[in-house]
Amino acid sequence: MASCLSGSYRDVLADVRDHFHQLHRIAVPPDIHNEPTPATTIAFDTQQELLWVGTEYGRITSFYGPELRRYTSYWGHPSHPRGEGEVKQVLFHERGVVSVAPTSVHLSSRRGLTQWHITSQSTRNLSCMSYVGKGNAFVVAAGCQTLMLKIDIEKGRIVEEIPTEHEYTMMKYSHYICAATNTGSVNILDSDTLRIIKTLETPNARICDMDARNNYLVTCGWVTRPQGTPVLATLANVYDLRRMVQLPPISFSAGAAHVQMHPRMSTTCIIASQYGMLQVADLMNSNTVNLRQANIPSGVVSGLVLASSGEAFAILDTVGYIHLWGSPSKMHFAEISNATEFADVQESYPVIAVDDDIPLSTVGMPYYREQLLSAWTSGQLYEVGNPPAKIDPLILSDLRPSDVGLCARNPRRVRRNQAVKTRVVENDDPTFAAPKFLSEKAREAEKSQSPERRISDIQEAMVNMALNGSTKADVPIMYRNVEIKYSKFGVDDFDFEYYNKTQFSGLETHIANSYTNSLLQLLKFTPRVRNVALHHTATTCLNDTCLLCEMGFLFDMMEKAEGQSCQATNFLKTFSSIPEASALGLLEEKSHHASLTTLMQAACRFMLEHTASEYRRMSPNHTEFNQNSSTRTRSQIPSFSQILKASVERTTQNRGWCDKCRRYQQLATRKSIRGVPDVLVVNAALISSESKQYWAKAGWLPHEIGVIIDNGKFFCFEGEDLRLHLERGMHSVKIYELVGIVADINSGEHQKPHLVSLINTTISDREPSKEDNWHLFNDFLVRKVSKADALHFSSSWKMPAVLAFQVVTGRHAVDDSWRDGLDPALLYNLYSTNNRPPRNCQVLNPHTEAPAVGSHVAIDTEFIALQQEEIEIKADGDREVVRPTRLGLARVSVLRGGGVDEGVPFINDYITTTEPIVDYLTKWSGVHEGDLDPHRSQHNLVPLKVAYKKLWLLLNLGCIFIGHGLPKDFRTINIHVPKAQVLDTVDLFYIRARQRKLSLRFLAWYLLKEDIQQETHDSIEDARTALRLWRKFEEFRDAGVVDAMVEEVYREGKKWSYKPPGEAIGAAGPGRREKGRSAEASLAVPGMEAGRETPDILRGGSGPGTPEGRGLAMVTNAGE
């Protein structure tokens, strides 16, 4: 709905004429002399109720509220001793106040604390500045000099110097930067490139004031008489910035000296003369004349400024007085005002005489009910440099004089170019130590078989007590940061089960942009969102940047994992590759110290919009996803239901054509609500300390809300109001229940803030249940918590970022029918991005070879390194892996596991990548440089999405995967295959007590009498070898000699160091190669000639009349 604003030109005129009066007249504080000091600039704060003035001596002073109470005063640009000159202009930023003087640019907080101060050879005669671009991260400063300076506000430094041929006296920003020159013209600059788009020539010899707002520019200035004397022009010039043309000027006979555009009425401005004559003018009707005289008895008007709320304006005179005008009944400076921070009132304490008659116990001790100001949150701390490294004591003891200073011998305790970490990070709670690695626990279990409890068991029990809340602390241990530790065996050796003993899978944190883990958990446990994602994934969508597909892949993996740790590698890789995500600053490396709450809310909005567009693209006739997602931002209203209502019915303002007035007017737009989705995802936009206090109140967040839509209006109820509406039954009430929360956790001064999710997992259970089960998902730490603990918030360490509500009818509505609609067409067709058919590959026949439950397939994959590992060397020289090597899928081969064409590949794909490759790992992968380049590769290239979906289809069609060392392959592929669908030859030929797993090459040499992996690896060869080993294992099992054969393999392996002869020195000495085989192998083991694949244990037989040990002895003697 759109309608003309009530505050039209006539209303503004009536306000100024009838309600605006001079409320206060106050002198600018004196600087050098004890007299009022003339001010050089004046401005209303756009974010707080403050009025700021700057003086010719460089002092900046602020006044609070309509009473103009002194707030702060500080030297921004001291005239003595540096002589930086008068304050020319001030701008307002969330960090403070930016001011410019001829030779410096300064930023201070609103309390007067200096943030940074810039002076350089490039700052010679500055006079104006403006924000650059869409945000307010940069400002450009210019003046009567040949350089414009682009300044980074966050870092406080000049990032670019732009040459210019013009000298600028003032700047205003409105879509473009309007820069007035000293010759009377106005240059229209592009706000991003600072390139001149248009030059507007004015009739003025010099511009004395101008203002730009809502695509309009109004200027006033001096003109030269025929006698050569300058006078103020009697016309104010108006320009349309959209068409870059001049509109009819506004006549002002008193001489236009100052002009201000009204912030709410885009076609209304206020013009003032030097002597206090005011005119409210309409740009679209310049013939109207409405005058008002301001009483300026002490001098000439030197400045006019209008508040951003439109409810006040201030006049500055040349004597040094400020005249505040407005309505006594209503006056606010800022349109949306933040709370202003004031100094605490000093409490008065009683005087206690200390003598022998007064006991010392009467002297009270301090007791703190609130957090101390010295307890800075982690979001307020930034590392700005490392302390200097300490000099080695050996160097200090060996110092001796030299020609220049002192010198000493190098003790060589550190490596060349090795940086020493000098910043000491304190450990908040040593009880929450990382668990022992799985390999350490296995060795400890082997050494200590006594029934007595080990020290690690006691330590684990103590930590579990702490995790369950048995220890007292401001932040419970289970909410604190968790970190993955790496051993020499990599991340697979980390004990994730130590942190999660539930049936729900956590998500790992060593991946970039893993701050989204908590949101992904929340969406996964929202049945309606989960169902849509999986149904979409089962379609033929092959879009590389489809987040909805990746979300479905991830949800399916987490459900199959059943409590085992998972990682969102592919989802986050796709998320990071979307240009819009990078442009919005959603990636960690481009977030610029944004708070996690802000980052999460922006990511939530982006994900829902992106996934909705993908769903509409594949299913244009379905509106299910549009009914399943929505984002709202809340304002500050005491009741949660009122907040939600105000957010949904939020009114926006823009400019449009009014049929009633027959001209463009400012329009107010309000959405007419026709329906509400089944899932409400709500952003908890916490921007002030007052709003945080609502969350700290117990029970403020309702567990259920009811929504009524009536005649396009949105009504929301909770608690007793909701119960009454349900009893009356007059309206159709849609009831929502709280699914979960994403919360921002501030763990303390020495820990980074992070996000967790608290979810009612009962809602997504397949079996109906009335009891709610709340769980904490702190990345890979998953714990059951009480409902009271989950919904408890604290302004000091736990605040919500995102909420999710779902209709109560969606409870337990978990839909698995997507498995019946799987489209396996991708398995029956060739797919290539470079139009090269795969080598040695034959696709499946859909009529005779369709994959089904129990179908066997052999698989092997090859990987490349996309990022090298990051290590940290401790003071004692130990190396600790901070982040392991990041691998990427380079090749995948899948072979038939049965039938006539057993062992023939039907998938042999090379995976193209846009990421830089740091190492092809050719020795282990067989992938060479250029194999993954679409322009150079001779192999069949497919996107990662296509290769992954083929494997995902085989998994969900029920195939059984055969391979060697498959867990690491599946982990890198980012897929979870249940144990019932895995036949790993590593585990088939494994004795747990030996604590050694045998390599594929050794097993092939001993059991199959084949030498593989001679120069490099080949995934088809490795997959086929694993398939033949499984068939060999089946033979052993049918013969009943599996245990004996595996024991024999281990005995033989120990003699050859578990490597084929020729690769390592065995018991018989160094091996000599003969035609790809070792001489010792052919001489020492009778019957190992070419073609023989069955060891003597089977040739000797284990049937009737042949003892099993006899055949075993034959093999043992032959090996020896």
Side-chain angles (χ1 to χ4, degrees):
M1 291 189 308
S3 61
C4 287
L5 289 175
S6 59
S8 62
Y9 165 74
R10 292 184 297 273
D11 296 329
V12 175
L13 176 63
D15 282 342
V16 174
R17 183 180 63 245
D18 301 332
H19 303 291
F20 272 46
H21 304 282
Q22 180 171 314
L23 301 181
H24 290 283
R25 176 175 175 266
I26 189 172
V28 178
D31 276 326
I32 298 178
H33 308 290
N34 195 18
E35 296 180 0
T37 303
T40 55
T41 184
I42 184 170
F44 283 101
D45 201 314
T46 57
Q47 299 183 17
Q48 296 188 16
E49 297 295 305
L50 297 173
L51 174 65
W52 296 82
V53 294
T55 69
E56 61 184 6
Y57 299 110
R59 178 176 287 277
I60 300 172
T61 305
S62 62
F63 303 89
Y64 176 78
E67 299 82 10
L68 296 183
R69 291 183 293 165
R70 283 279 296 275
Y71 182 64
T72 53
S73 183
Y74 59 91
W75 291 101
H77 309 271
S79 298
H80 301 284
R82 290 179 289 185
E84 297 180 4
E86 63 187 29
V87 181
K88 293 290 188 178
Q89 185 184 352
V90 293
L91 287 178
F92 303 102
H93 189 267
E94 59 184 8
R95 291 189 58 188
V97 180
V98 186
S99 58
V100 63
T103 61
S104 61
V105 183
H106 183 86
L107 172 66
S108 285
S109 67
R110 288 174 171 79
R111 294 182 300 164
L113 302 177
T114 299
Q115 305 297 309
W116 48 256
H117 188 87
I118 298 176
T119 57
S120 69
Q121 296 180 353
S122 303
T123 57
R124 294 188 296 271
N125 193 6
L126 301 176
S127 59
C128 56
M129 58 182 172
S130 172
Y131 284 118
V132 180
K134 297 180 180 179
N136 55 1
F138 299 92
V139 295
V140 58
C144 296
Q145 59 181 45
T146 58
L147 289 176
M148 294 191 296
L149 310 177
K150 187 176 180 180
I151 300 173
D152 188 330
I153 294 183
E154 292 292 335
K155 299 179 180 178
R157 61 184 179 88
I158 300 173
V159 296
E160 187 178 359
E161 295 182 353
I162 303 100
T164 178
E165 300 177 354
H166 303 274
E167 296 182 351
Y168 296 113
T169 57
M170 65 182 65
M171 285 183 170
K172 299 292 182 179
Y173 180 82
S174 177
H175 303 296
Y176 303 102
I177 298 177
C178 304
T181 67
N182 60 352
T183 59
S185 62
V186 178
N187 287 339
I188 308 301
L189 308 180
D190 185 274
S191 60
D192 293 321
T193 63
L194 299 179
R195 174 176 61 86
I196 298 178
I197 299 176
K198 178 78 172 180
T199 298
L200 302 177
E201 300 292 343
T202 69
N204 306 121
R206 186 179 180 89
I207 294 177
C208 60
D209 197 7
M210 70 175 184
D211 198 10
R213 194 182 296 270
N214 295 325
N215 297 316
Y216 289 102
L217 171 68
V218 184
T219 68
C220 58
W222 301 86
V223 294
T224 305
R225 287 181 175 179
Q227 297 82 3
T229 58
V231 294
L232 287 172
T234 57
L235 295 176
N237 304 293
V238 183
Y239 300 90
D240 188 336
L241 297 179
R242 291 169 298 183
R243 296 179 294 163
M244 297 296 177
V245 297
Q246 185 174 4
L247 301 179
I250 300 173
S251 176
F252 189 54
S253 58
H258 306 279
V259 63
Q260 285 284 293
M261 296 286 295
H262 198 281
R264 293 184 177 177
M265 306 299 112
S266 60
T267 61
T268 303
C269 69
I270 298 178
I271 307 173
S273 71
Q274 280 186 308
Y275 302 102
M277 181 69 72
L278 303 175
Q279 176 176 335
V280 180
D282 187 355
L283 304 184
M284 300 294 102
N285 187 7
S286 58
N287 296 325
T288 57
V289 179
N290 301 279
L291 302 177
R292 182 79 184 270
Q293 179 65 46
N295 184 18
I296 311 294
S298 55
V300 178
V301 175
S302 62
L304 172 69
V305 64
L306 192 60
S308 60
S309 64
E311 298 176 2
F313 65 85
I315 299 174
L316 192 65
D317 63 27
T318 55
V319 178
Y321 284 91
I322 303 170
H323 307 261
L324 180 64
W325 283 64
S327 173
S329 59
K330 59 174 184 177
M331 178 181 289
H332 293 89
F333 294 166
E335 184 175 6
I336 300 177
S337 180
N338 298 330
T340 303
E341 185 177 1
F342 290 94
D344 295 333
V345 179
Q346 188 68 30
E347 297 182 5
S348 58
Y349 299 98
V351 178
I352 301 177
V354 180
D355 51 34
D356 296 338
D357 298 331
I358 302 222
L360 189 61
S361 59
T362 58
V363 181
M365 298 295 291
Y367 176 75
Y368 307 105
R369 291 185 175 88
E370 298 178 352
Q371 192 174 24
L372 299 179
L373 292 176
S374 58
W376 291 72
T377 63
S378 54
Q380 297 173 298
L381 298 176
Y382 301 98
E383 294 186 2
V384 294
N386 287 330
K390 294 183 179 180
I391 302 176
D392 195 318
L394 290 179
I395 297 178
L396 295 176
S397 62
D398 195 33
L399 288 175
R400 58 182 181 274
S402 64
D403 295 338
V404 180
L406 302 173
C407 66
R409 290 178 298 176
N410 185 359
R412 301 188 182 279
R413 289 192 173 186
V414 295
R415 299 180 180 179
R416 185 186 298 272
N417 299 325
Q418 176 181 331
V420 179
K421 186 174 182 179
T422 57
R423 187 180 300 280
V424 179
V425 179
E426 298 180 7
N427 191 2
D428 282 11
D429 195 333
T431 307
F432 195 25
K436 288 189 175 184
F437 293 112
L438 297 176
S439 56
E440 293 177 337
K441 289 186 176 182
R443 288 193 297 268
E444 189 180 76
E446 181 186 11
K447 294 178 181 179
S448 176
Q449 299 295 337
S450 62
E452 298 180 0
R453 298 190 66 186
R454 301 187 304 272
I455 296 178
S456 60
D457 295 335
I458 300 174
Q459 179 186 2
E460 183 170 342
M462 292 178 62
V463 175
N464 286 332
M465 289 175 59
L467 287 174
N468 290 326
S470 299
T471 59
K472 293 183 178 180
D474 292 338
V475 181
I477 295 182
M478 61 182 175
Y479 283 93
R480 301 190 182 184
N481 284 301
V482 290
E483 183 180 357
I484 300 176
K485 298 294 183 180
Y486 306 96
S487 71
K488 63 180 180 180
F489 301 108
V491 70
D492 295 331
D493 200 23
F494 188 76
D495 188 6
F496 288 104
E497 187 179 354
Y498 175 84
Y499 295 92
N500 181 12
K501 294 179 173 58
T502 69
Q503 59 179 330
F504 308 113
S505 296
L507 293 174
E508 298 173 16
T509 59
H510 61 280
I511 312 165
N513 302 308
S514 58
Y515 74 91
T516 59
N517 284 351
S518 54
L519 178 60
L520 294 173
Q521 291 279 15
L522 182 59
L523 297 178
K524 187 259 179 186
F525 284 97
T526 306
R528 294 296 172 89
V529 177
R530 175 256 183 205
N531 295 341
V532 169
L534 285 171
H535 277 281
H536 176 81
T537 305
T539 64
T540 58
C541 175
L542 295 178
N543 185 9
D544 290 346
T545 60
C546 179
L547 288 181
L548 192 56
C549 276
E550 297 298 338
M551 201 177 288
F553 291 143
L554 179 62
F555 293 169
D556 183 48
M557 177 174 63
M558 294 171 69
E559 290 182 358
K560 287 181 169 65
E562 295 181 345
Q564 298 182 42
S565 179
C566 297
Q567 57 279 344
T569 307
N570 290 350
F571 178 89
L572 295 177
K573 183 178 181 180
T574 304
F575 175 71
S576 304
S577 66
I578 301 176
E580 292 86 349
S582 177
L584 293 172
L586 302 181
L587 309 185
E588 289 177 337
E589 64 270 17
K590 297 186 178 181
S591 59
H592 303 295
H593 298 295
S595 67
L596 278 179
T597 298
T598 304
L599 201 61
M600 171 54 67
Q601 292 172 353
C604 176
R605 186 180 297 108
F606 170 77
M607 285 185 190
L608 292 179
E609 292 176 352
H610 191 275
T611 51
S613 64
E614 288 294 334
Y615 187 80
R616 288 193 294 267
R617 183 180 61 83
M618 292 298 297
S619 305
N621 297 325
H622 294 79
T623 60
E624 183 177 5
F625 194 92
N626 292 337
Q627 297 174 358
N628 281 344
S629 65
S630 177
T631 57
R632 305 294 178 206
T633 306
R634 301 195 311 275
S635 58
Q636 299 179 22
I637 306 178
S639 169
F640 179 86
S641 56
Q642 292 175 345
I643 287 176
L644 193 58
K645 173 180 170 60
S647 301
V648 174
E649 296 184 335
R650 185 172 57 248
T651 300
T652 58
Q653 298 181 3
N654 51 18
R655 184 171 175 77
W657 179 260
C658 177
D659 293 332
K660 182 179 180 180
C661 303
R662 304 301 301 171
R663 62 179 179 180
Y664 284 99
Q665 290 282 15
Q666 198 78 2
L667 302 179
T669 304
R670 184 179 62 84
K671 295 180 180 179
S672 179
I673 311 301
R674 300 302 179 191
V676 287
D678 289 346
V679 176
L680 294 176
V681 181
V682 185
N683 280 349
L686 303 176
I687 58 175
S688 65
S689 58
E690 287 81 358
S691 59
K692 294 181 180 180
Q693 296 303 320
Y694 296 126
W695 292 102
K697 184 179 178 182
W700 188 79
L701 175 64
H703 184 66
E704 284 188 348
I705 58 174
V707 174
I708 298 175
I709 304 300
D710 186 20
N711 295 327
K713 293 185 178 181
F714 179 91
F715 300 93
C716 185
F717 304 96
E718 61 181 86
E720 186 65 20
D721 293 339
L722 175 60
R723 187 185 63 81
L724 292 175
H725 278 83
L726 292 175
E727 290 180 355
R728 293 171 183 170
M730 299 176 60
H731 299 88
S732 176
V733 184
K734 198 169 187 177
I735 304 177
Y736 293 84
E737 62 179 337
L738 181 64
V739 177
I741 305 158
V742 175
D744 188 356
I745 305 299
N746 189 347
S747 300
E749 180 179 352
H750 298 288
Q751 291 197 12
K752 294 181 180 179
H754 63 288
L755 297 166
V756 303
S757 51
L758 296 134
I759 303 172
N760 183 7
T761 57
T762 304
I763 295 176
S764 59
D765 287 346
R766 288 172 170 79
E767 298 297 330
S769 174
K770 295 183 179 180
E771 182 181 357
D772 291 339
N773 290 315
W774 286 82
H775 283 76
L776 165 70
F777 292 85
N778 184 3
D779 292 322
F780 52 83
L781 187 152
V782 183
R783 293 274 167 162
K784 186 175 181 179
V785 296
S786 64
K787 179 180 178 181
D789 186 20
L791 302 183
H792 167 73
F793 301 102
S794 172
S795 59
S796 61
W797 65 273
K798 179 185 176 185
M799 278 286 110
V802 176
L803 313 175
F805 287 88
Q806 181 184 255
V807 290
V808 293
T809 55
R811 192 180 181 96
H812 310 301
V814 179
D815 183 9
D816 291 328
S817 62
W818 57 272
R819 292 190 175 92
D820 302 329
L822 287 175
D823 187 353
L826 190 61
L827 299 172
Y828 308 138
N829 298 282
L830 293 177
Y831 189 99
S832 176
T833 59
N834 58 344
N835 296 322
R836 291 188 179 274
R839 299 177 180 178
N840 305 321
C841 182
Q842 177 183 338
V843 297
L844 296 174
N845 188 325
H847 304 291
T848 60
E849 299 179 304
V853 176
S855 299
H856 290 87
V857 295
I859 182 174
D860 191 69
T861 57
E862 308 295 351
F863 304 101
I864 52 176
L866 301 176
Q867 183 179 353
Q868 297 288 11
E869 69 176 5
E870 300 176 15
I871 63 172
E872 182 180 279
I873 300 179
K874 298 182 178 180
D876 56 1
D878 292 341
R879 300 176 65 218
E880 180 179 354
V881 178
V882 178
R883 191 184 293 263
T885 302
R886 184 164 64 90
L887 301 177
L889 184 62
R891 182 186 179 188
V892 57
S893 299
V894 185
L895 284 61
R896 294 167 174 84
V900 179
D901 294 327
E902 178 177 336
V904 177
F906 63 91
I907 296 175
N908 185 26
D909 295 333
Y910 285 74
I911 287 78
T912 182
T913 179
T914 58
E915 296 185 75
I917 301 173
V918 299
D919 193 347
Y920 284 90
L921 305 175
T922 304
K923 182 178 179 181
W924 297 277
S925 68
V927 180
H928 296 80
E929 184 177 0
D931 286 351
L932 307 182
D933 187 348
H935 304 289
R936 300 164 54 191
S937 179
Q938 301 299 316
H939 306 285
N940 173 51
L941 292 179
V942 301
L944 176 63
K945 172 77 170 289
V946 173
Y948 186 94
K949 192 156 190 176
K950 290 180 180 180
L951 301 180
W952 186 77
L953 288 171
L954 293 173
L955 168 65
N956 285 283
L957 289 172
C959 293
I960 299 176
F961 294 86
I962 305 169
H964 190 85
L966 289 180
K968 185 173 181 62
D969 289 6
F970 290 151
R971 179 181 181 84
T972 309
I973 296 171
N974 198 207
I975 193 171
H976 182 87
V977 181
K979 291 183 179 180
Q981 292 180 246
V982 176
L983 287 172
D984 197 331
T985 53
V986 167
D987 299 324
L988 296 180
F989 299 95
Y990 175 58
I991 300 176
R992 184 175 297 274
R994 299 295 182 94
Q995 293 190 10
R996 173 183 284 276
K997 296 185 177 182
L998 303 177
S999 67
L1000 180 67
R1001 185 177 182 185
F1002 177 76
L1003 290 173
W1005 170 80
Y1006 186 73
L1007 296 176
L1008 304 180
K1009 308 304 177 285
E1010 292 184 358
D1011 279 341
I1012 64 172
Q1013 304 172 354
Q1014 291 298 305
E1015 296 180 357
T1016 183
H1017 287 233
D1018 181 84
S1019 56
I1020 292 181
E1021 180 186 48
D1022 292 351
R1024 186 177 289 120
T1025 303
L1027 177 61
R1028 296 181 62 191
L1029 285 173
W1030 171 63
R1031 289 298 185 188
K1032 187 65 63 177
F1033 179 85
E1034 292 291 307
E1035 294 179 18
F1036 296 156
R1037 188 176 60 181
D1038 294 341
V1041 294
V1042 170
D1043 295 339
M1045 191 62 218
V1046 175
E1047 287 284 355
E1048 171 61 21
V1049 172
Y1050 269 92
R1051 277 197 296 271
E1052 193 69 18
K1054 185 177 182 181
K1055 182 166 56 176
W1056 297 101
S1057 298
Y1058 299 98
K1059 297 180 181 180
E1063 181 180 349
I1065 298 177
R1072 301 186 307 275
R1073 310 296 301 179
E1074 291 185 1
K1075 296 182 181 180
R1077 297 285 307 174
S1078 65
E1080 287 81 0
S1082 59
L1083 294 175
V1085 185
M1088 287 185 66
E1089 60 275 0
R1092 177 182 176 275
E1093 298 182 359
T1094 305
D1096 288 338
I1097 189 170
L1098 292 183
R1099 297 188 59 158
S1102 59
T1106 305
E1108 185 172 321
R1110 182 179 177 183
L1112 183 60
M1114 291 174 62
V1115 178
T1116 303
N1117 295 332
E1120 297 174 353

